Amino acid sequence: MKLIVKVFPEITIKSRPVRMRFIRQLAKNIRAVLRDLDPAVVVNGVWDNLELETRVSEPKLLKEMTERLSCMPGIAHFLQVDEYPLGDFDDILAKCMLHYGDALAGKIFSVRCKRAGKHPFSSMDVEKYVGSQLRRQCGAAGISLKDPQIEVRIEIRDQRLFVIHSQHDSIGGYPLGSLEQTLVLMSGGFDSTVAAYQIMRRGLMSHFCFFNLGGRAHELGVMEVAHFIWKKYGSSQRVLFVSVPFEEVLGEILGKVDNSHMGVILKRMMLRAATSIADRLHIDALVTGEAISQVSSQTLPNLSVIDCVTEKLVLRPLIASHKQDIIDTANEIGTADFARHMPEYCGVISVNPKTAAKRGRVEHEEKEFDMAVLERAIENARLVPIDRVIDELGQDIQIEEVGEALAGQIIIDIRHPDDAEDDPLSVAGVEVQTMPFYAVNARFKELDPTRQYLLYCDKGVMSRLHAHHLLSEGHANVRVYRPS
Protein backbone atom coordinates (compact mmCIF):
# COMPACT_ATOMS: atom_id res chain seq x y z
CA MET A 1 0.00 0.00 0.00
CA LYS A 2 1.19 3.51 -0.77
CA LEU A 3 0.05 6.68 0.99
CA ILE A 4 0.70 10.31 0.22
CA VAL A 5 0.70 12.27 3.49
CA LYS A 6 -0.28 15.93 3.20
CA VAL A 7 1.15 18.12 5.93
CA PHE A 8 -0.72 20.74 7.93
CA PRO A 9 -1.05 23.85 5.69
CA GLU A 10 0.62 26.20 8.21
CA ILE A 11 3.81 24.15 7.86
CA THR A 12 4.01 25.03 4.16
CA ILE A 13 4.28 28.77 4.86
CA LYS A 14 7.28 28.41 7.17
CA SER A 15 10.79 29.39 6.14
CA ARG A 16 12.69 26.69 4.29
CA PRO A 17 14.81 25.53 7.29
CA VAL A 18 11.79 25.41 9.63
CA ARG A 19 9.65 23.68 7.05
CA MET A 20 12.26 21.00 6.41
CA ARG A 21 12.72 20.47 10.15
CA PHE A 22 8.98 19.99 10.63
CA ILE A 23 8.81 17.56 7.68
CA ARG A 24 11.73 15.51 9.01
CA GLN A 25 10.16 15.38 12.47
CA LEU A 26 6.83 14.24 11.03
CA ALA A 27 8.53 11.47 9.02
CA LYS A 28 10.36 10.35 12.17
CA ASN A 29 7.09 10.32 14.14
CA ILE A 30 5.30 8.26 11.49
CA ARG A 31 8.06 5.64 11.53
CA ALA A 32 7.95 5.48 15.32
CA VAL A 33 4.17 5.05 15.48
CA LEU A 34 3.94 2.42 12.71
CA ARG A 35 7.10 0.45 13.48
CA ASP A 36 5.35 -2.25 15.50
CA LEU A 37 2.88 -2.84 12.66
CA ASP A 38 5.52 -2.82 9.90
CA PRO A 39 9.21 -2.70 10.90
CA ALA A 40 10.10 -2.15 7.22
CA VAL A 41 7.76 0.82 6.65
CA VAL A 42 9.35 3.41 4.34
CA VAL A 43 8.67 7.13 4.75
CA ASN A 44 10.30 9.54 2.32
CA GLY A 45 10.00 13.29 2.62
CA VAL A 46 9.54 15.82 -0.12
CA TRP A 47 8.88 19.53 -0.03
CA ASP A 48 5.12 19.56 0.56
CA ASN A 49 4.21 16.00 1.49
CA LEU A 50 5.50 12.60 2.57
CA GLU A 51 5.24 9.29 0.75
CA LEU A 52 4.68 6.17 2.82
CA GLU A 53 5.05 2.61 1.57
CA THR A 54 4.19 -0.57 3.44
CA ARG A 55 4.10 -4.21 2.45
CA VAL A 56 1.47 -4.95 5.05
CA SER A 57 -1.68 -6.30 3.41
CA GLU A 58 -3.71 -7.71 6.30
CA PRO A 59 -6.93 -5.62 6.52
CA LYS A 60 -6.82 -5.42 10.32
CA LEU A 61 -3.27 -4.01 10.31
CA LEU A 62 -4.05 -1.60 7.49
CA LYS A 63 -7.06 -0.35 9.44
CA GLU A 64 -4.87 0.18 12.50
CA MET A 65 -2.33 2.11 10.42
CA THR A 66 -5.07 4.34 9.09
CA GLU A 67 -6.44 5.02 12.57
CA ARG A 68 -3.02 5.94 13.94
CA LEU A 69 -2.24 8.32 11.09
CA SER A 70 -5.70 9.90 11.52
CA CYS A 71 -4.71 10.92 15.06
CA MET A 72 -1.20 12.21 14.36
CA PRO A 73 -0.36 15.89 14.88
CA GLY A 74 1.17 17.44 11.76
CA ILE A 75 -0.96 15.59 9.20
CA ALA A 76 -3.83 17.40 7.46
CA HIS A 77 -4.94 14.33 5.49
CA PHE A 78 -3.48 11.38 3.62
CA LEU A 79 -4.33 9.69 0.33
CA GLN A 80 -4.28 6.00 -0.52
CA VAL A 81 -2.91 5.76 -4.05
CA ASP A 82 -1.57 3.49 -6.77
CA GLU A 83 1.59 4.73 -8.47
CA TYR A 84 2.51 4.37 -12.17
CA PRO A 85 5.13 5.83 -14.49
CA LEU A 86 3.68 8.83 -16.31
CA GLY A 87 2.62 8.04 -19.86
CA ASP A 88 0.62 9.94 -22.46
CA PHE A 89 -3.00 10.98 -22.07
CA ASP A 90 -4.27 7.61 -23.29
CA ASP A 91 -2.15 5.83 -20.72
CA ILE A 92 -3.49 8.10 -17.97
CA LEU A 93 -6.99 7.31 -19.21
CA ALA A 94 -6.29 3.58 -19.10
CA LYS A 95 -5.10 3.76 -15.49
CA CYS A 96 -8.20 5.74 -14.49
CA MET A 97 -10.47 3.24 -16.23
CA LEU A 98 -8.71 0.40 -14.41
CA HIS A 99 -9.67 1.84 -11.04
CA TYR A 100 -12.88 3.77 -11.74
CA GLY A 101 -14.37 2.32 -14.94
CA ASP A 102 -16.84 -0.10 -13.35
CA ALA A 103 -18.13 2.52 -10.90
CA LEU A 104 -19.01 5.24 -13.43
CA ALA A 105 -21.89 3.62 -15.33
CA GLY A 106 -25.00 5.76 -14.90
CA LYS A 107 -23.24 8.15 -12.50
CA ILE A 108 -22.39 11.85 -12.64
CA PHE A 109 -18.69 12.35 -12.08
CA SER A 110 -15.78 14.77 -12.26
CA VAL A 111 -12.05 14.46 -12.86
CA ARG A 112 -9.68 16.30 -10.51
CA CYS A 113 -6.01 16.52 -11.40
CA LYS A 114 -3.18 18.09 -9.41
CA ARG A 115 0.19 18.50 -11.06
CA ALA A 116 3.72 19.34 -9.89
CA GLY A 117 6.74 19.62 -12.17
CA LYS A 118 7.32 20.74 -15.75
CA HIS A 119 5.03 19.27 -18.41
CA PRO A 120 3.86 20.32 -21.89
CA PHE A 121 0.26 20.25 -20.65
CA SER A 122 -1.83 21.71 -17.83
CA SER A 123 -3.94 20.01 -15.17
CA MET A 124 -7.05 21.25 -17.00
CA ASP A 125 -5.88 19.58 -20.22
CA VAL A 126 -5.71 16.25 -18.41
CA GLU A 127 -9.12 16.74 -16.78
CA LYS A 128 -10.81 17.60 -20.09
CA TYR A 129 -9.36 14.67 -22.02
CA VAL A 130 -9.78 12.01 -19.35
CA GLY A 131 -13.26 13.26 -18.40
CA SER A 132 -14.59 13.24 -21.96
CA GLN A 133 -13.21 9.77 -22.66
CA LEU A 134 -14.48 8.27 -19.41
CA ARG A 135 -17.96 9.63 -20.10
CA ARG A 136 -17.95 8.17 -23.58
CA GLN A 137 -16.41 4.78 -22.80
CA CYS A 138 -17.90 4.01 -19.35
CA GLY A 139 -21.55 4.93 -19.88
CA ALA A 140 -21.53 7.71 -17.31
CA ALA A 141 -24.65 9.85 -16.92
CA GLY A 142 -22.73 13.11 -17.14
CA ILE A 143 -20.06 15.39 -15.72
CA SER A 144 -20.54 17.91 -12.93
CA LEU A 145 -17.74 19.88 -11.33
CA LYS A 146 -19.96 21.23 -8.56
CA ASP A 147 -21.89 18.18 -7.40
CA PRO A 148 -20.45 14.90 -8.73
CA GLN A 149 -21.46 11.53 -7.36
CA ILE A 150 -17.95 10.22 -7.99
CA GLU A 151 -14.65 12.09 -8.12
CA VAL A 152 -11.88 10.61 -10.24
CA ARG A 153 -8.78 12.00 -8.53
CA ILE A 154 -5.25 11.85 -9.86
CA GLU A 155 -1.94 13.55 -9.11
CA ILE A 156 0.99 13.99 -11.46
CA ARG A 157 4.39 14.60 -9.91
CA ASP A 158 7.19 14.98 -12.43
CA GLN A 159 7.19 11.65 -14.28
CA ARG A 160 4.92 9.78 -11.87
CA LEU A 161 1.16 9.27 -11.93
CA PHE A 162 -0.87 8.65 -8.77
CA VAL A 163 -4.44 7.38 -8.97
CA ILE A 164 -6.17 8.23 -5.69
CA HIS A 165 -8.51 5.69 -4.08
CA SER A 166 -9.48 7.38 -0.85
CA GLN A 167 -8.73 10.31 1.43
CA HIS A 168 -8.51 10.17 5.22
CA ASP A 169 -8.53 13.30 7.34
CA SER A 170 -6.22 13.75 10.30
CA ILE A 171 -6.06 16.32 13.11
CA GLY A 172 -3.62 18.85 11.62
CA GLY A 173 -1.32 20.91 13.80
CA TYR A 174 2.45 20.66 14.10
CA PRO A 175 4.44 17.43 14.50
CA LEU A 176 5.12 16.42 18.08
CA GLY A 177 8.72 17.05 18.98
CA SER A 178 9.10 19.96 16.57
CA LEU A 179 8.42 22.51 19.34
CA GLU A 180 9.17 22.81 23.05
CA GLN A 181 8.08 20.63 25.98
CA THR A 182 5.32 21.43 28.45
CA LEU A 183 3.98 20.05 31.73
CA VAL A 184 0.19 19.58 31.71
CA LEU A 185 -1.63 19.70 35.04
CA MET A 186 -4.13 16.84 34.80
CA SER A 187 -7.23 16.20 36.87
CA GLY A 188 -8.72 13.77 34.37
CA GLY A 189 -11.89 15.78 33.77
CA PHE A 190 -13.19 17.36 30.59
CA ASP A 191 -11.06 20.52 30.78
CA SER A 192 -7.58 19.16 31.47
CA THR A 193 -7.85 16.34 28.93
CA VAL A 194 -9.01 18.69 26.17
CA ALA A 195 -6.27 21.18 27.10
CA ALA A 196 -3.68 18.40 26.85
CA TYR A 197 -5.00 17.41 23.41
CA GLN A 198 -4.96 21.01 22.16
CA ILE A 199 -1.36 21.48 23.26
CA MET A 200 -0.23 18.18 21.75
CA ARG A 201 -2.02 19.00 18.51
CA ARG A 202 0.02 22.20 18.33
CA GLY A 203 3.20 20.13 18.36
CA LEU A 204 4.23 20.67 21.99
CA MET A 205 5.52 17.56 23.72
CA SER A 206 3.41 17.21 26.87
CA HIS A 207 4.26 15.48 30.13
CA PHE A 208 1.41 14.88 32.60
CA CYS A 209 1.32 16.03 36.23
CA PHE A 210 -1.40 14.83 38.61
CA PHE A 211 -1.99 16.08 42.15
CA ASN A 212 -3.53 13.30 44.23
CA LEU A 213 -5.93 14.81 46.75
CA GLY A 214 -6.76 11.57 48.50
CA GLY A 215 -7.99 8.80 46.27
CA ARG A 216 -6.42 5.72 44.71
CA ALA A 217 -9.38 5.45 42.35
CA HIS A 218 -8.87 9.01 41.14
CA GLU A 219 -5.14 8.42 40.58
CA LEU A 220 -5.89 5.25 38.62
CA GLY A 221 -8.52 7.06 36.55
CA VAL A 222 -6.16 9.92 35.65
CA MET A 223 -3.38 7.48 34.78
CA GLU A 224 -5.74 5.68 32.44
CA VAL A 225 -6.95 8.78 30.62
CA ALA A 226 -3.43 10.23 30.38
CA HIS A 227 -2.23 6.94 28.90
CA PHE A 228 -5.18 6.98 26.48
CA ILE A 229 -4.40 10.51 25.24
CA TRP A 230 -0.71 9.70 24.85
CA LYS A 231 -1.35 6.39 23.10
CA LYS A 232 -3.85 7.87 20.66
CA TYR A 233 -2.28 11.23 19.88
CA GLY A 234 1.27 11.31 21.19
CA SER A 235 2.90 7.87 21.15
CA SER A 236 5.65 9.06 18.79
CA GLN A 237 7.28 10.67 21.85
CA ARG A 238 8.15 9.26 25.25
CA VAL A 239 6.84 11.44 28.07
CA LEU A 240 6.38 11.17 31.82
CA PHE A 241 3.42 10.80 34.14
CA VAL A 242 4.09 12.58 37.43
CA SER A 243 1.92 11.79 40.46
CA VAL A 244 2.28 14.17 43.40
CA PRO A 245 0.77 13.11 46.76
CA PHE A 246 -1.17 16.21 47.83
CA GLU A 247 -3.29 14.85 50.68
CA GLU A 248 -1.10 16.40 53.37
CA VAL A 249 -1.02 19.71 51.49
CA LEU A 250 -4.80 19.68 51.36
CA GLY A 251 -5.00 18.92 55.07
CA GLU A 252 -2.69 21.84 55.85
CA ILE A 253 -4.90 24.18 53.81
CA LEU A 254 -8.09 22.94 55.45
CA GLY A 255 -6.61 23.47 58.91
CA LYS A 256 -4.86 26.81 58.50
CA VAL A 257 -6.40 28.82 55.66
CA ASP A 258 -9.51 30.96 55.73
CA ASN A 259 -12.36 29.12 54.05
CA SER A 260 -12.96 31.70 51.33
CA HIS A 261 -9.34 31.57 50.12
CA MET A 262 -8.84 27.78 50.11
CA GLY A 263 -9.42 27.27 46.38
CA VAL A 264 -6.99 29.97 45.26
CA ILE A 265 -4.29 28.85 47.68
CA LEU A 266 -4.64 25.21 46.63
CA LYS A 267 -4.06 26.27 43.02
CA ARG A 268 -1.03 28.32 44.09
CA MET A 269 0.43 25.29 45.85
CA MET A 270 -0.12 23.18 42.74
CA LEU A 271 1.65 25.75 40.57
CA ARG A 272 4.56 25.90 43.01
CA ALA A 273 4.91 22.11 42.93
CA ALA A 274 4.52 21.97 39.14
CA THR A 275 7.19 24.66 38.78
CA SER A 276 9.63 22.65 40.87
CA ILE A 277 8.98 19.51 38.82
CA ALA A 278 9.24 21.45 35.55
CA ASP A 279 12.60 22.84 36.69
CA ARG A 280 13.80 19.30 37.30
CA LEU A 281 12.72 18.31 33.79
CA HIS A 282 14.03 21.50 32.14
CA ILE A 283 10.54 22.52 31.03
CA ASP A 284 9.66 26.21 30.64
CA ALA A 285 5.85 26.13 30.33
CA LEU A 286 2.92 24.79 32.36
CA VAL A 287 -0.50 23.98 30.92
CA THR A 288 -3.86 24.02 32.71
CA GLY A 289 -7.44 23.47 31.60
CA GLU A 290 -8.78 26.66 33.17
CA ALA A 291 -11.38 28.81 31.39
CA ILE A 292 -12.39 32.32 32.40
CA SER A 293 -14.90 32.28 35.29
CA GLN A 294 -15.91 28.66 34.85
CA VAL A 295 -15.47 28.31 38.62
CA SER A 296 -14.66 30.84 41.33
CA SER A 297 -10.90 30.25 41.25
CA GLN A 298 -10.82 31.01 37.52
CA THR A 299 -11.86 34.66 37.52
CA LEU A 300 -9.30 37.01 36.05
CA PRO A 301 -8.28 38.49 39.45
CA ASN A 302 -7.88 35.01 40.94
CA LEU A 303 -5.90 33.67 37.97
CA SER A 304 -3.59 36.66 38.29
CA VAL A 305 -3.01 35.97 41.98
CA ILE A 306 -2.45 32.26 41.27
CA ASP A 307 0.14 32.97 38.55
CA CYS A 308 2.20 35.16 40.90
CA VAL A 309 3.86 32.10 42.45
CA THR A 310 5.66 30.99 39.29
CA GLU A 311 7.95 32.52 36.72
CA LYS A 312 7.00 29.80 34.27
CA LEU A 313 4.77 30.62 31.33
CA VAL A 314 1.28 29.29 32.16
CA LEU A 315 -0.60 28.27 29.02
CA ARG A 316 -4.40 28.01 29.15
CA PRO A 317 -5.58 26.82 25.73
CA LEU A 318 -9.23 26.78 26.85
CA ILE A 319 -9.22 30.23 28.42
CA ALA A 320 -12.11 31.60 26.29
CA SER A 321 -13.89 28.31 25.61
CA HIS A 322 -17.48 27.58 26.62
CA LYS A 323 -18.10 24.46 28.69
CA GLN A 324 -20.29 22.80 26.08
CA ASP A 325 -17.63 23.37 23.43
CA ILE A 326 -15.10 21.68 25.71
CA ILE A 327 -17.44 18.73 26.27
CA ASP A 328 -18.06 18.45 22.53
CA THR A 329 -14.32 18.32 21.89
CA ALA A 330 -13.89 15.70 24.61
CA ASN A 331 -16.50 13.58 22.85
CA GLU A 332 -14.66 13.96 19.55
CA ILE A 333 -11.25 12.99 20.91
CA GLY A 334 -12.49 10.11 23.07
CA THR A 335 -11.94 11.45 26.60
CA ALA A 336 -15.53 12.32 27.51
CA ASP A 337 -16.40 8.88 28.87
CA PHE A 338 -13.31 8.95 31.08
CA ALA A 339 -14.31 12.37 32.41
CA ARG A 340 -17.90 11.33 33.08
CA HIS A 341 -16.79 8.32 35.11
CA MET A 342 -13.83 9.95 36.82
CA PRO A 343 -14.03 9.14 40.55
CA GLU A 344 -14.78 12.05 42.82
CA TYR A 345 -12.00 13.29 45.09
CA CYS A 346 -11.98 15.31 48.27
CA GLY A 347 -11.37 18.80 46.95
CA VAL A 348 -11.49 22.16 48.67
CA ILE A 349 -15.05 23.37 48.99
CA SER A 350 -15.46 26.96 50.12
CA VAL A 351 -18.81 28.15 51.42
CA ASN A 352 -18.25 31.66 50.07
CA PRO A 353 -15.19 31.50 47.79
CA LYS A 354 -13.51 34.75 46.86
CA THR A 355 -13.93 35.70 43.22
CA ALA A 356 -11.52 38.65 43.45
CA ALA A 357 -8.82 37.57 45.88
CA LYS A 358 -6.24 40.18 46.86
CA ARG A 359 -2.60 39.19 46.65
CA GLY A 360 -1.74 40.68 50.03
CA ARG A 361 -4.54 38.81 51.81
CA VAL A 362 -3.65 35.54 50.08
CA GLU A 363 0.00 35.87 51.07
CA HIS A 364 -1.10 36.66 54.65
CA GLU A 365 -3.18 33.44 54.72
CA GLU A 366 -0.21 31.44 53.43
CA LYS A 367 2.03 32.59 56.30
CA GLU A 368 0.42 29.94 58.53
CA PHE A 369 1.04 27.22 55.92
CA ASP A 370 3.98 24.92 56.69
CA MET A 371 5.94 24.91 53.42
CA ALA A 372 7.79 21.77 54.57
CA VAL A 373 4.55 19.93 53.81
CA LEU A 374 4.69 21.10 50.20
CA GLU A 375 8.39 20.18 49.96
CA ARG A 376 7.63 16.64 51.15
CA ALA A 377 4.93 16.28 48.53
CA ILE A 378 7.36 17.35 45.81
CA GLU A 379 10.08 15.01 47.09
CA ASN A 380 7.64 12.07 47.11
CA ALA A 381 6.38 12.70 43.58
CA ARG A 382 6.55 9.61 41.37
CA LEU A 383 7.82 10.04 37.80
CA VAL A 384 6.91 7.15 35.53
CA PRO A 385 7.33 6.85 31.74
CA ILE A 386 3.81 7.05 30.33
CA ASP A 387 4.21 3.89 28.26
CA ARG A 388 4.93 1.95 31.46
CA VAL A 389 2.44 3.58 33.78
CA ILE A 390 -0.29 0.95 33.51
CA ASP A 391 2.12 -1.98 33.72
CA GLU A 392 3.87 -0.48 36.73
CA LEU A 393 0.58 0.00 38.51
CA GLY A 394 -0.13 -3.70 38.03
CA GLN A 395 3.10 -4.89 39.64
CA ASP A 396 3.00 -6.49 43.07
CA ILE A 397 -0.79 -6.67 43.04
CA GLN A 398 -1.81 -10.17 44.06
CA ILE A 399 -5.29 -10.93 42.81
CA GLU A 400 -6.88 -14.34 42.34
CA GLU A 401 -6.85 -15.27 38.67
CA VAL A 402 -8.89 -18.04 37.07
CA GLY A 403 -8.19 -19.66 33.72
CA GLU A 404 -11.66 -21.10 33.25
CA ALA A 405 -15.04 -19.50 33.85
CA LEU A 406 -17.74 -21.62 35.46
CA ALA A 407 -21.47 -21.69 34.85
CA GLY A 408 -23.19 -19.00 36.89
CA GLN A 409 -20.19 -16.66 36.86
CA ILE A 410 -20.28 -13.48 34.76
CA ILE A 411 -17.30 -12.29 32.74
CA ILE A 412 -17.00 -8.50 32.48
CA ASP A 413 -15.02 -7.42 29.42
CA ILE A 414 -13.41 -4.15 30.53
CA ARG A 415 -11.51 -3.43 27.30
CA HIS A 416 -12.05 -0.20 25.37
CA PRO A 417 -15.39 -0.36 23.49
CA ASP A 418 -13.59 -0.31 20.11
CA ASP A 419 -11.48 -3.36 21.07
CA ALA A 420 -14.48 -5.22 22.46
CA GLU A 421 -16.43 -4.53 19.27
CA ASP A 422 -13.61 -5.51 16.92
CA ASP A 423 -12.79 -8.75 18.76
CA PRO A 424 -15.79 -9.75 20.89
CA LEU A 425 -15.19 -12.19 23.75
CA SER A 426 -17.29 -15.33 23.69
CA VAL A 427 -17.13 -18.14 26.27
CA ALA A 428 -19.43 -21.15 25.87
CA GLY A 429 -22.06 -21.38 28.58
CA VAL A 430 -20.93 -18.23 30.37
CA GLU A 431 -22.53 -14.78 30.29
CA VAL A 432 -20.24 -12.00 29.05
CA GLN A 433 -21.00 -8.34 29.75
CA THR A 434 -19.08 -5.32 28.45
CA MET A 435 -18.21 -2.52 30.83
CA PRO A 436 -15.34 -0.21 29.75
CA PHE A 437 -12.54 0.08 32.31
CA TYR A 438 -13.23 3.78 32.80
CA ALA A 439 -16.76 2.95 33.98
CA VAL A 440 -16.00 -0.02 36.24
CA ASN A 441 -15.45 1.90 39.48
CA ALA A 442 -18.71 3.83 39.11
CA ARG A 443 -20.95 1.05 37.80
CA PHE A 444 -19.80 -2.08 39.62
CA LYS A 445 -21.88 -1.23 42.69
CA GLU A 446 -25.01 -1.46 40.50
CA LEU A 447 -24.39 -5.18 39.81
CA ASP A 448 -25.98 -8.07 41.71
CA PRO A 449 -23.81 -8.57 44.84
CA THR A 450 -24.76 -12.29 44.99
CA ARG A 451 -23.07 -13.10 41.66
CA GLN A 452 -19.40 -13.80 40.98
CA TYR A 453 -17.71 -11.50 38.45
CA LEU A 454 -14.53 -12.12 36.45
CA LEU A 455 -12.80 -9.08 34.96
CA TYR A 456 -11.16 -9.57 31.56
CA CYS A 457 -8.70 -7.53 29.48
CA ASP A 458 -6.06 -8.43 26.91
CA LYS A 459 -2.94 -8.40 29.11
CA GLY A 460 -4.53 -8.88 32.51
CA VAL A 461 -2.98 -5.68 33.87
CA MET A 462 -6.03 -3.42 33.80
CA SER A 463 -8.26 -6.20 35.12
CA ARG A 464 -5.89 -6.78 38.08
CA LEU A 465 -5.80 -3.07 38.85
CA HIS A 466 -9.56 -2.72 38.88
CA ALA A 467 -10.10 -5.98 40.76
CA HIS A 468 -7.65 -4.77 43.39
CA HIS A 469 -9.50 -1.48 43.76
CA LEU A 470 -12.92 -3.16 43.93
CA LEU A 471 -11.69 -5.58 46.59
CA SER A 472 -10.30 -2.67 48.60
CA GLU A 473 -13.75 -1.05 48.34
CA GLY A 474 -15.32 -4.12 49.95
CA HIS A 475 -16.52 -6.01 46.86
CA ALA A 476 -15.46 -9.59 47.62
CA ASN A 477 -17.18 -11.07 44.56
CA VAL A 478 -14.56 -10.16 41.95
CA ARG A 479 -11.71 -12.12 40.33
CA VAL A 480 -9.61 -11.86 37.17
CA TYR A 481 -10.26 -14.01 34.10
CA ARG A 482 -7.07 -15.08 32.30
CA PRO A 483 -7.94 -17.82 29.79
CA SER A 484 -5.09 -20.23 29.13
Side-chain angles (χ1 to χ4, degrees):
M1 180 178 75
K2 182 160 192 147
L3 299 176
I4 296 179
V5 178
K6 304 288 187 177
V7 302
F8 182 52
E10 284 185 29
I11 296 175
T12 65
I13 62 174
K14 300 296 181 186
S15 66
R16 183 179 182 87
V18 173
R19 181 171 178 173
M20 296 306 296
R21 176 166 60 86
F22 279 25
I23 295 285
R24 286 194 298 269
Q25 184 66 54
L26 181 56
K28 181 180 178 181
N29 292 353
I30 292 173
R31 294 187 198 102
V33 168
L34 300 185
R35 190 176 295 126
D36 64 320
L37 301 178
D38 180 8
V41 66
V42 176
V43 184
N44 293 314
V46 294
W47 180 240
D48 58 352
N49 58 49
L50 294 167
E51 295 180 13
L52 182 155
E53 292 187 67
T54 176
R55 295 182 180 180
V56 169
S57 58
E58 185 180 340
K60 186 175 181 179
L61 292 180
L62 291 176
K63 180 182 177 184
E64 179 66 20
M65 281 187 174
T66 299
E67 290 177 352
R68 293 186 187 184
L69 292 173
S70 297
C71 297
M72 180 171 289
I75 299 177
H77 61 268
F78 53 98
L79 310 170
Q80 184 178 345
V81 303
D82 274 315
E83 179 183 349
Y84 303 97
L86 179 63
D88 58 18
F89 279 15
D90 286 329
D91 185 67
I92 296 174
L93 171 64
K95 300 302 188 295
C96 290
M97 288 190 64
L98 178 65
H99 294 284
Y100 286 98
D102 293 341
L104 294 179
K107 297 293 178 63
I108 296 175
F109 75 101
S110 67
V111 178
R112 311 286 189 188
C113 176
K114 289 187 177 181
R115 187 179 57 84
K118 294 183 178 180
H119 306 95
F121 54 82
S122 67
S123 298
M124 188 174 294
D125 293 334
V126 177
E127 293 172 350
K128 287 180 178 178
Y129 183 83
V130 173
S132 63
Q133 293 300 316
L134 286 177
R135 180 179 184 183
R136 183 178 299 113
Q137 297 184 36
C138 298
I143 296 175
S144 172
L145 299 180
K146 291 185 177 181
D147 192 25
Q149 294 172 287
I150 298 176
E151 282 191 350
V152 178
R153 299 178 61 192
I154 58 178
E155 287 198 11
I156 296 172
R157 292 186 169 273
D158 298 316
Q159 296 305 306
R160 296 185 297 165
L161 169 70
F162 299 101
V163 180
I164 300 169
H165 295 290
S166 58
Q167 175 175 318
H168 304 273
D169 292 331
S170 191
I171 63 174
Y174 294 149
L176 275 177
S178 60
L179 300 178
E180 293 75 19
Q181 300 186 52
T182 64
L183 184 66
V184 180
L185 280 60
M186 287 281 290
S187 68
F190 290 102
D191 302 339
S192 62
T193 55
V194 172
Y197 165 77
Q198 298 280 30
I199 287 295
M200 292 167 67
R201 182 172 178 246
R202 198 60 183 171
L204 293 157
M205 212 167 111
S206 300
H207 304 269
F208 303 96
C209 185
F210 166 63
F211 295 96
N212 193 343
L213 296 177
R216 170 68 170 173
H218 190 210
E219 181 183 45
L220 176 58
V222 177
M223 284 181 166
E224 289 170 344
V225 71
H227 185 271
F228 172 85
I229 295 171
W230 168 80
K231 186 69 174 175
K232 188 168 185 178
Y233 301 104
S235 61
S236 63
Q237 308 295 321
R238 295 199 67 190
V239 299
L240 295 172
F241 182 91
V242 184
S243 183
V244 187
F246 240 50
E247 300 97 326
E248 192 179 1
V249 174
L250 177 60
E252 187 76 1
I253 291 174
L254 290 171
K256 296 183 178 179
V257 172
D258 175 72
N259 182 280
S260 63
H261 289 84
M262 287 180 177
V264 169
I265 290 177
L266 176 62
K267 292 290 184 68
R268 282 166 61 95
M269 295 299 170
M270 288 180 174
L271 274 197
R272 287 187 173 105
T275 298
S276 177
I277 293 165
D279 283 339
R280 193 188 315 178
L281 299 175
H282 305 289
I283 293 172
D284 294 325
L286 309 176
V287 178
T288 78
E290 290 158 321
I292 294 174
S293 294
Q294 190 177 116
V295 295
S296 60
S297 65
Q298 296 175 16
T299 62
L300 287 180
N302 285 355
L303 291 176
S304 178
V305 171
I306 290 168
D307 285 358
C308 288
V309 301
T310 182
E311 294 183 356
K312 299 289 184 185
L313 174 64
V314 181
L315 301 175
R316 295 182 171 94
L318 309 183
I319 192 65
S321 299
H322 301 303
K323 188 66 176 184
Q324 189 57 52
D325 293 338
I326 296 171
I327 293 173
D328 291 344
T329 302
N331 279 307
E332 292 172 9
I333 66 177
T335 62
D337 284 331
F338 290 93
R340 292 189 186 99
H341 294 95
M342 193 61 60
E344 294 293 334
Y345 62 92
C346 182
V348 172
I349 301 175
S350 298
V351 177
N352 295 300
K354 288 287 184 181
T355 57
K358 304 299 182 183
R359 181 174 176 176
R361 174 62 188 276
V362 169
E363 291 174 347
H364 173 76
E365 290 292 332
E366 287 182 343
K367 287 180 180 179
E368 298 298 318
F369 187 95
D370 183 0
M371 286 297 177
V373 173
L374 180 64
E375 292 302 321
R376 277 197 298 272
I378 296 171
E379 289 173 6
N380 293 325
R382 295 175 59 249
L383 285 72
V384 184
I386 192 67
D387 56 329
R388 291 171 44 200
V389 67
I390 302 298
D391 292 335
E392 179 161 314
L393 275 173
Q395 291 177 1
D396 302 324
I397 293 179
Q398 302 302 318
I399 298 295
E400 183 179 346
E401 297 183 358
V402 300
E404 182 179 356
L406 305 176
Q409 293 178 328
I410 298 175
I411 298 175
I412 299 181
D413 186 346
I414 68 168
R415 293 176 295 169
H416 191 278
D418 292 344
D419 296 330
E421 183 178 347
D422 291 342
D423 186 21
L425 177 67
S426 178
V427 179
V430 178
E431 180 182 352
V432 177
Q433 298 181 9
T434 58
M435 185 183 296
F437 59 87
Y438 49 71
V440 170
N441 293 329
R443 290 170 50 186
F444 192 86
K445 60 181 178 290
E446 301 170 2
L447 301 178
D448 185 349
T450 66
R451 304 292 297 273
Q452 286 289 325
Y453 297 96
L454 309 178
L455 305 189
Y456 169 78
C457 69
D458 288 327
K459 297 181 179 180
V461 175
M462 299 290 285
S463 51
R464 285 203 309 275
L465 287 170
H466 284 281
H468 180 268
H469 175 71
L470 292 171
L471 287 169
S472 68
E473 291 287 303
H475 302 284
N477 57 335
V478 60
R479 304 290 182 271
V480 169
Y481 177 55
R482 292 288 288 158
S484 53

